[in-house]
Structures are given as C-alpha cells and as structure tokens.
Amino acid sequence: AAMKAKRKEAPTGQMALVFTDVHNAPFLWHNVPVHMRQARKSHNLFLRKLIEECNGYEVKTEGDCFMIAFQQVTDAARWCVDAQLGLQHLDWPKELVEGMEADCGQSYDSDGALMRNGLRVKMGIHFGEIQRDND
C-alpha cells in the first residue's frame, strides 16, 4: 500500500479544494496496464510529497484522482503549478511516453522548451466555505 502524506488536522472554515484527474486514464489502463501501475506509483508519490511541502491535506483518493484541502488558496495554486511543472520531469515508463504519444508523449514550445511529458493531469481549484461530513 502506498504511504499517504503525513496526517494532520484537516483545514476548517474557508478553504481551497483541489481535484485532480489523469487525462484519458481508462484508455491508458486498458492499453498499457503494467506501465500505468508504474506511472501511478510515481504520480502518487510525487503528488503526496508536494501535498506536505505546500501545507495541504489529502482528503481522499479515488483511482488516480486526488482531493486535497488547503487552508490558503495561494498554497493550492502553488501546489498545482509545482505539480504540473514537476510531473513533466518525472521518469515515466518509456513505453508510456513513446507508445501513447497523444496522451503521454513529449511536446515542446517554439523555443524548444519541454511543455508536456508523461501523464497529463487535469486540476481544478474550488474555494469557499466547506461543510464537513465525516462519513
């Protein structure tokens, strides 16, 4: 079992919630399941390390999706930016990057800077008063 980020008290009151989702995950799991298991492990370890660094609280995961709470919206935004920049530099399985170019391949901008590499992870930030339900 993967180790979760160190548990601390959940934020209360107004907070930012971040939701993540791996782009086209069902297709990738169907076509390259062995490499997706390896990729998900790297993805999860990296995101969990950042959760702690950015003062986040891992609320839950579902498959390859995360729900993370932040007391400060600036921490949530910093986490998303750092996550996007860091994800493109992870050591993704070669078969995933080269075999699934449309979903995981590398792309570069007009100056040759790396713009995309590996899993594409969608992220959304929601901010407001949260009603907590401990189910």
Side-chain angles (χ1 to χ4, degrees), residues 38-49:
Q38 183 182 353
R40 182 174 63 183
K41 183 177 180 180
S42 296
H43 163 273
N44 289 0
L45 288 171
F46 175 72
L47 294 185
R48 286 189 172 120
K49 179 177 177 278

Side-chain angles (χ1 to χ4, degrees), residues 96-116:
L96 196 67
V97 174
E98 294 179 1
M100 300 283 126
E101 288 92 0
D103 296 299
C104 302
Q106 295 177 338
S107 64
Y108 299 86
D109 69 12
S110 59
D111 295 324
L114 183 65
M115 294 295 296
R116 185 168 54 101

Side-chain angles (χ1 to χ4, degrees), residues 4 10 16 24-25 31 34 37 64 82 93 100 105 112 132:
K4 287 191 172 189
N24 217 2
N31 287 287
V34 171
R37 275 192 291 282
D64 51 48
D82 289 352
M100 300 283 126
R132 189 171 173 179

